[in-house]
């Protein structure tokens, strides 16, 4: 997915999190992706923690279209109305924001983004900036997001895989985890072991 | 409410229906033999595909579906009415027409749209305040608007594939038209129906067809003309359940018009179709669909019915687009109240309405 692409709008928001709907069905970055919410005046960062696709009308549940199809794409082609009748929503937990001095703070934003604020993908330089903050891992660990450890694994893996990773960076994240999760060696080991690092 | 009394009453009706069904089953079991035995019996006021007098022999004629077409475009419109609220100091009605187009095959895709109109409309003098609360007038107007919107969209859509438009129910709103007392409105609607019928005739020359689809119709075009010993209060759908195998369609029939206003409309033909879930009636403007085209339409209708699990998918979706939901209606009521108050027109709903909402003891 290209950088800085507006992918949807916030449709529900509170101090810690938001729900956004993508413009196109399924057009949402994977869980663990960091996105930017807001408009010209504000930059609020969040991580995608959950993705949900369902009927646009709560009173109309989808029925199976088969049997008779050998591929899902074939099923979609035979029922082209599906993409108009379904929607993809995703949950965003806020991680930080740009303050008045234009520096990034890892925290919930002082005021959440407005309803219908755009959600866009993050350019690499902004992603590196957020991940260079040593408070990030601790903030995530202490948040009450769903699937916390899975999100931690995905967010770190995604960041490390987005560029050529130096060994010391993996060490840095391990240290941050040890600091954020004292006396939880098994949990930390599980997170480190599950990091899905691809060779560059 | 006394539930026991209600149960007893419904139970009585069910027993009566069972007796009638048992009698009908006996008659129906002999139907094919009876028709074969009187093949030349004339169905008065009904003609067949060749415009000749229809007989029992035509009832025994059936057609199988052709092979399904890979590339096709289907269209439908459906409407919903927001009736005028007599309790409001401003009286208005709204008609929402929902539209859906689904394209199958190489260029698959879909388009959803709707058009909302409010009445009274200064451009249409015939629709006055009395019309707004008349169910038949609004129903006929809605039907006309559905047909016009469907023709607009189908004329504008360019494709090399066959285009098939679906109207929900009967092709013309005959029942509603015949119950309109306001003659100038009735004449206006008939004029508009004749105009749209001309467009439908013209579209048919370009591989573009419009049909109406009636699910389990209650019509008695055929049975009312049959020998009473055979038909005995059957609906047409009941006899075609016996005469048509799954996925077969009947021959084409035309009913000769009586001399009434609504019968001056461009005549329609009809067929019955056993779609393997139920009998459906399909109507179309006479002579717009020949046998080859009907073979294709037959398979398209079956494919739509299969996709919709018993009812054409395109009609399901256009209905969903048209519906003015309860929450929409409530929002409109709140907005109206707000606008009236904003204009210093003090307004609240009637005490009767408010008491029904609160239901205090």
């Amino acid at each position: 997915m290209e950088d800085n692409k507006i992918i949807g709008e916030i449709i529900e928001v509170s101090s810690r999190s938001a729900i956004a709907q993508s413009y196109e069905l399924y057009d949402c970055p994977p869980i663990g992706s960091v996105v930017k919410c807001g408009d010209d005046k504000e930059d609020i960062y969040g991580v995608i923690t959950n993705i949900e696709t369902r009927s646009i009308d709560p009173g109309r549940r989808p029925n199976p279209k088969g049997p008779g199809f050998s591929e899902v794409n074939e099923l979609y082609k035979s029922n082209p109305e599906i993409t108009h009748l379904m929607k993809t929503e995703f949950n965003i937990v806020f991680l930080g924001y740009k303050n008045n001095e234009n520096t990034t703070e890892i925290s919930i934003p002082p005021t959440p983004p407005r309803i219908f604020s755009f959600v866009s993908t993050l350019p690499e330089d902004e992603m590196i900036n957020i991940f260079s903050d040593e408070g990030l891992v601790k903030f995530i660990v202490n948040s009450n997001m769903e699937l916390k450890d899975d999100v931690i694994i995905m967010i770190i893996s995604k960041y490390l895989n987005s560029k050529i990773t130096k060994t010391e960076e993996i060490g840095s994240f391990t240290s941050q985890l040890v600091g954020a999760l004292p006396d939880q060696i098994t949990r930390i080991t599980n997170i480190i072991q599950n990091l899905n690092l691809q060779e560059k | 409410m006394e539930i026991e009394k209600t149960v007893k009453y419904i139970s009585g009706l069910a027993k009566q229906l069972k007796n009638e069904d048992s009698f009908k089953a006996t008659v129906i079991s002999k139907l094919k033999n009876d028709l074969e035995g009187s093949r030349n019996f004339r169905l008065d006021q009904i003609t067949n595909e060749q415009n000749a007098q229809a007989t029992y022999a035509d009832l025994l004629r059936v057609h199988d579906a052709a092979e399904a077409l890979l590339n096709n475009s289907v269209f439908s419109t459906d409407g919903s009415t927001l009736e005028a609220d007599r309790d409001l100091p401003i009286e208005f009605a709204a008609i929402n027409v929902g539209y859906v187009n689904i394209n199958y095959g190489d260029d698959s895709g879909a388009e959803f749209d709707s058009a909302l109109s409010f009445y009274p409309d200064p451009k249409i003098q015939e629709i006055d305040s009395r019309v707004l609360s008349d169910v038949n007038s609004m129903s006929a107007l809605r039907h006309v608007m559905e047909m016009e919107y469907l023709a607009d969209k189908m004329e504008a859509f360019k494709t090399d594939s066959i285009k098939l438009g679906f109207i929900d129910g009967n092709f013309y709103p005959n029942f509603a038209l015949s119950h309109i007392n306001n003659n100038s409105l009735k004449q206006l609607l008939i004029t508009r129906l004749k105009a749209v019928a001309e467009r439908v005739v013209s579209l048919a020359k370009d591989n573009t067809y419009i049909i109406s689809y009636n699910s389990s119709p209650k019509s008695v075009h055929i049975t009312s003309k049959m020998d009473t010993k055979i038909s005995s209060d059957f609906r047409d759908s009941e006899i075609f359940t016996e005469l048509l195998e799954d996925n077969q369609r009947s021959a084409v029939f035309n009913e000769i018009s009586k001399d009434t206003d609504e019968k001056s409309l461009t005549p329609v033909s009809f067929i019955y179709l056993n779609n393997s879930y139920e009998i459906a009636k399909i109507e179309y403007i006479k002579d717009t669909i020949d046998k080859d085209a009907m073979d294709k339409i037959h398979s398209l209708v079956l494919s739509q019915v299969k996709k919709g699990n018993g009812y054409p998918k395109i009609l399901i979706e256009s209905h969903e687009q048209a519906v003015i939901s309860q929450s929409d209606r409530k929002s409109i009521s709140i907005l109206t109240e707000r606008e009236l108050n904003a204009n210093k027109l003090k307004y609240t709903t009637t005490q009767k309405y408010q008491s029904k909402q609160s239901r205090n003891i």
Side-chain angles (χ1 to χ4, degrees):
Chain A
M1 199 169 266
E2 63 184 278
D3 289 348
N4 260 332
K5 181 190 174 194
I6 298 174
I7 50 171
E9 291 169 25
I10 288 178
I11 55 164
E12 202 176 308
V13 66
S14 66
S15 296
R16 291 183 181 280
S17 62
I19 299 174
Q21 185 178 328
S22 62
Y23 291 134
E24 301 285 333
L25 193 67
Y26 305 128
D27 192 20
C28 161
I31 292 175
S33 301
V34 178
V35 290
K36 189 159 67 173
C37 317
D39 52 31
D40 300 344
K41 293 175 190 156
E42 60 183 353
D43 277 342
I44 293 169
Y45 302 106
V47 60
I48 295 176
T49 59
N50 184 43
I51 301 170
E52 208 170 300
T53 296
R54 57 195 156 88
S55 168
I56 55 170
D57 181 345
R60 299 186 72 196
R61 273 179 74 82
N63 270 336
K65 303 291 177 194
F69 298 102
S70 55
E71 286 177 22
V72 178
N73 280 347
E74 190 193 333
L75 182 154
Y76 273 76
K77 202 175 172 195
S78 287
N79 298 276
E81 73 283 359
I82 292 174
T83 51
H84 295 258
L85 302 175
M86 301 284 147
K87 62 179 175 180
T88 299
E89 290 181 357
F90 50 100
N91 295 51
I92 301 165
V93 172
F94 300 130
L95 298 174
Y97 64 99
K98 268 208 179 126
N99 61 22
N100 292 339
E101 283 84 49
N102 209 26
T103 56
T104 303
E105 288 202 27
I106 299 298
S107 157
I108 58 165
T111 52
R114 289 182 291 175
I115 274 280
F116 304 123
S117 290
F118 298 138
V119 178
S120 48
T121 52
L122 209 59
E124 197 182 333
D125 59 330
E126 286 187 63
M127 187 150 83
I128 291 170
N129 190 24
I130 291 171
F131 278 85
S132 63
D133 192 311
E134 296 204 343
L136 180 70
V137 172
K138 193 172 180 183
F139 181 84
I140 297 173
V141 166
N142 290 330
S143 72
N144 61 351
M145 68 176 66
E146 298 172 72
L147 311 166
K148 201 185 294 179
D149 286 4
D150 298 291
V151 173
I152 293 171
I153 292 164
M154 286 190 229
I155 189 173
I156 297 175
S157 301
K158 194 162 168 44
Y159 170 66
L160 294 176
N161 286 327
S162 70
K163 57 193 193 49
I164 297 166
T165 304
K166 296 174 191 154
T167 318
E168 50 267 35
E169 269 188 295
I170 303 172
S172 162
F173 279 114
T174 312
S175 308
Q176 286 180 44
L177 281 169
V178 170
L181 297 165
D183 306 326
Q184 295 191 49
I185 295 299
T186 314
R187 194 172 162 197
I188 295 168
T189 311
N190 181 50
I191 291 172
I192 301 292
Q193 281 177 345
N194 281 295
L195 288 177
N196 178 23
L197 299 181
Q198 291 150 10
E199 284 188 26
K200 295 272 172 180
Chain B
M1 198 173 85
E2 290 180 68
I3 296 294
E4 208 177 314
K5 194 174 174 182
T6 313
V7 170
K8 221 172 174 178
Y9 181 73
I10 294 171
S11 169
L13 289 179
K15 277 176 193 152
Q16 193 184 330
L17 184 64
K18 191 182 167 191
N19 289 339
E20 284 171 19
D21 273 5
S22 148
F23 172 69
K24 281 182 174 179
T26 313
V27 178
I28 275 286
S29 64
K30 303 185 293 170
L31 181 68
K32 275 188 184 167
N33 281 339
D34 286 346
L35 296 179
E36 286 285 4
S38 318
R39 290 179 70 89
N40 296 324
F41 185 94
R42 293 156 60 95
L43 294 164
D44 202 23
Q45 302 284 311
I46 303 273
T47 59
N48 62 18
E49 201 167 355
Q50 289 75 39
N51 284 321
Q53 170 65 55
T55 64
Y56 281 178
D58 294 302
L59 297 180
L60 293 162
R61 206 162 284 140
V62 297
H63 300 275
D64 291 305
E67 205 173 311
L69 294 166
L70 177 66
N71 293 311
N72 66 80
S73 293
V74 291
F75 303 76
S76 176
T77 49
D78 197 9
S80 180
T81 311
L82 177 79
E83 297 81 11
D85 183 346
R86 286 182 188 173
D87 289 336
L88 283 174
I90 47 171
E91 222 175 341
F92 69 93
I95 292 178
N96 188 43
V97 180
Y99 161 81
V100 179
N101 152 232
I102 308 180
N103 307 305
Y104 299 97
D106 296 338
D107 295 319
S108 71
E111 186 200 351
F112 289 64
D113 203 353
S114 63
L116 182 64
S117 313
F118 288 97
Y119 299 95
D121 179 346
K123 282 178 273 176
I124 311 173
Q125 295 299 326
E126 289 83 351
I127 303 173
D128 58 22
S129 64
R130 279 166 303 170
V131 168
L132 299 183
S133 48
D134 177 43
V135 175
N136 290 313
S137 299
M138 293 308 286
S139 167
L141 173 64
R142 190 180 72 198
H143 194 106
V144 172
M145 291 171 68
E146 289 167 17
M147 289 179 77
E148 289 173 340
Y149 195 25
L150 183 62
D152 289 347
K153 289 283 192 179
M154 291 181 74
E155 279 167 352
F157 191 89
K158 302 292 172 215
T159 177
D160 294 332
S161 313
I162 183 171
K163 292 190 268 181
L164 181 62
F166 287 72
I167 296 167
D168 181 29
N170 291 325
F171 198 89
Y172 293 129
N174 286 329
F175 179 84
L177 274 178
S178 64
H179 287 79
I180 294 177
N181 295 321
N182 177 336
N183 197 45
S184 60
L185 174 68
K186 190 172 177 174
Q187 291 312 320
L188 170 77
L189 295 178
I190 287 173
T191 306
R192 282 171 67 171
L193 281 169
K194 283 179 178 171
V196 80
E198 272 179 35
R199 292 165 71 189
V200 174
V201 171
S202 175
L203 281 168
K205 292 169 190 153
D206 192 26
N207 206 22
T208 301
Y209 307 97
I210 294 184
I211 60 167
S212 69
Y213 183 93
N214 200 333
S215 164
S216 281
K218 293 185 170 60
S219 27
V220 291
H221 306 287
I222 304 283
T223 51
S224 61
K225 315 289 170 18
M226 289 170 73
D227 181 350
T228 48
K229 281 181 217 152
I230 297 180
S231 65
S232 64
D233 299 331
F234 284 111
R235 293 174 183 161
D236 288 358
S237 58
E238 289 173 300
I239 66 157
F240 281 106
T241 303
E242 181 65 16
L243 297 175
L244 300 171
E245 300 284 328
D246 277 2
N247 302 325
Q248 280 183 333
R249 70 173 195 266
S250 71
V252 176
F253 299 97
N254 316 291
E255 198 168 18
I256 298 164
S257 308
K258 291 175 206 122
D259 190 20
T260 57
D261 280 341
E262 52 278 15
K263 296 291 182 182
S264 69
L265 294 166
T266 318
V268 293
S269 302
F270 59 93
I271 60 154
Y272 286 94
L273 171 70
N274 180 346
N275 64 28
S276 83
Y277 293 85
E278 62 174 6
I279 297 293
K281 183 173 78 169
I282 289 170
E283 289 180 329
Y284 56 94
I285 290 189
K286 193 168 179 287
D287 299 328
T288 55
I289 301 176
D290 62 18
K291 186 180 176 299
D292 281 353
M294 184 50 85
D295 283 345
K296 293 173 189 161
I297 290 168
H298 181 167
S299 71
L300 285 186
V301 172
L302 290 179
S303 152
Q304 279 297 302
V305 168
K306 196 176 167 201
K307 285 179 190 296
N309 293 315
Y311 189 66
K313 182 69 179 161
I314 192 78
L315 281 170
I316 294 173
E317 296 306 335
S318 64
H319 169 76
E320 291 293 336
Q321 278 297 109
V323 167
I324 302 175
S325 66
Q326 285 306 319
S327 72
D328 289 340
R329 287 168 197 268
K330 209 167 181 177
S331 303
I332 290 169
S333 173
I334 292 167
L335 280 171
T336 311
E337 193 170 330
R338 191 188 294 169
E339 285 304 308
L340 287 168
N341 291 336
N343 284 283
K344 310 266 187 269
L345 295 161
K346 192 165 167 34
Y347 162 75
T348 50
T349 50
T350 61
Q351 289 303 313
K352 181 181 174 183
Y353 178 80
Q354 287 184 36
S355 72
K356 282 183 178 173
Q357 296 299 304
S358 62
R359 302 178 63 216
N360 291 338
I361 294 173

